[in-house]
Amino acid sequence: MPNSDLPHFHGITLYSHNNDYQCHSTRLILAEKGIQYRLILVEDSDIEDLTQINPYGSLPALVDPQTKLYHHLIINEYIDDRYRQNRLFSDAPAEKAQQKQLLWRIHQDWFKYADQLLRHPEQLSDLDKKKAEQELQDVIINLSRLFQHSNYFMSDQFSILDCSLAPLLLRLPSVGISISNKHSKALLLYCKRVFNRDSFKQSMTQVELSRYSDYLKFFNN
């Protein structure tokens, strides 16, 4: 559970943006594991102040008594390795390697369009924006078939893959992408399943709860 008012806290401190899908994935992992941590929300104008923790000045960043980490994939794996409850990576080496390979593919092939639209929209021309929207829309439609035979992403167990995908799916309407029942019924059911998890609700900031409240109502039980 996040707590921003812990002056003498000696556990995890997470520096996070108040509305970013990569930061959200880390908050989701912490919520799924029921870990108490100090949450410090950082505005865009203050990110440069983090250079002592992260020389790249990016979010999320994590500090605990043992280490300082940056890049969400490294942070997420560290949390899962250190806190063994509610494991999100498989303990079996081959299965864990497969999960990490899928994460790499998700970020290489799919999230590059999300980064353009959600993190750097001002750098896109109108033509490039339309192209990125279409590419991401096609990815989402093609994704749907992967949810037809299991409750979660390629598994019947909630995993690290869901922690990466779900925060992005929440943000699709903000980039003009809708999930239609005609083309993506399985994905809609997946969103309903994940968005209604207690951990997902707990992982959201007040900004996210306000911004996506209408979209979340669509998936309410």
Side-chain angles (χ1 to χ4, degrees):
M1 298 289 291
N3 193 327
S4 57
D5 189 23
L6 295 170
H8 303 296
F9 187 63
H10 297 293
I12 285 177
T13 295
L14 180 70
Y15 295 84
S16 170
H17 195 275
N18 61 21
N19 181 24
D20 173 82
Y21 73 98
Q22 293 182 358
C23 293
H24 191 178
S25 74
T26 300
R27 287 186 262 114
L28 178 53
I29 289 168
L30 289 163
E32 188 69 24
K33 289 177 170 288
I35 299 169
Q36 185 178 45
Y37 65 100
R38 178 169 59 179
L39 176 64
I40 298 179
L41 296 176
V42 182
E43 300 295 331
D44 291 331
S45 58
D46 297 327
I47 287 179
E48 289 185 2
D49 296 337
L50 292 177
T51 52
Q52 289 187 339
I53 300 171
N54 176 3
Y56 295 95
S58 61
L59 295 170
L62 179 147
V63 177
D64 78 1
Q66 295 182 343
T67 189
K68 298 177 182 178
L69 298 172
Y70 47 90
H71 196 283
H72 67 286
L73 291 179
I74 295 171
I75 291 171
N76 294 351
E77 185 172 356
Y78 169 76
I79 294 170
D80 196 52
D81 282 341
R82 182 176 177 191
Y83 299 91
R84 308 289 291 181
Q85 69 271 27
N86 300 332
R87 289 284 284 165
L88 297 166
F89 276 105
S90 173
D91 283 320
E95 291 180 10
K96 183 175 182 178
Q98 183 68 23
Q99 288 176 317
K100 292 176 74 171
Q101 185 167 270
L102 284 168
L103 280 175
W104 181 85
R105 182 179 176 187
I106 287 169
H107 286 79
Q108 287 290 115
D109 296 347
W110 306 343
F111 281 11
K112 63 181 178 182
Y113 305 115
D115 268 355
Q116 292 170 8
L117 294 167
L118 290 169
R119 293 183 143 198
H120 309 292
E122 72 286 349
Q123 299 178 8
L124 296 177
S125 66
D126 289 343
L127 182 61
D128 288 338
K129 182 180 178 182
K130 289 181 180 178
K131 182 180 179 181
E133 288 174 352
Q134 186 60 56
E135 293 283 0
L136 187 55
Q137 178 83 61
D138 292 344
V139 165
I140 297 304
I141 291 174
N142 289 332
L143 259 182
S144 185
R145 62 184 176 81
L146 299 178
F147 297 93
Q148 292 176 354
H149 305 295
S150 55
N151 288 329
Y152 297 104
F153 184 57
M154 301 182 71
S155 173
D156 283 326
Q157 301 294 322
F158 188 82
S159 78
I160 192 70
L161 302 172
D162 304 294
C163 290
S164 288
L165 276 177
L168 171 61
L169 295 175
L170 176 68
R171 289 159 171 80
L172 291 180
S174 66
V175 294
I177 294 176
S178 60
I179 305 174
S180 71
N181 194 56
K182 178 180 178 181
H183 296 109
S184 307
K185 183 177 181 180
L187 186 54
L188 284 171
L189 292 173
Y190 169 80
C191 288
K192 181 175 182 178
R193 201 173 294 120
V194 174
F195 294 168
N196 282 291
R197 288 178 76 88
D198 289 341
S199 59
F200 192 86
K201 297 173 183 177
Q202 294 165 6
S203 70
M204 297 179 67
T205 66
Q206 288 301 314
V207 169
E208 290 165 342
L209 285 168
S210 175
R211 179 165 298 185
Y212 306 115
S213 60
D214 289 341
Y215 187 54
L216 287 169
K217 288 177 184 176
F218 177 76
F219 296 100
N220 282 347
N221 286 322

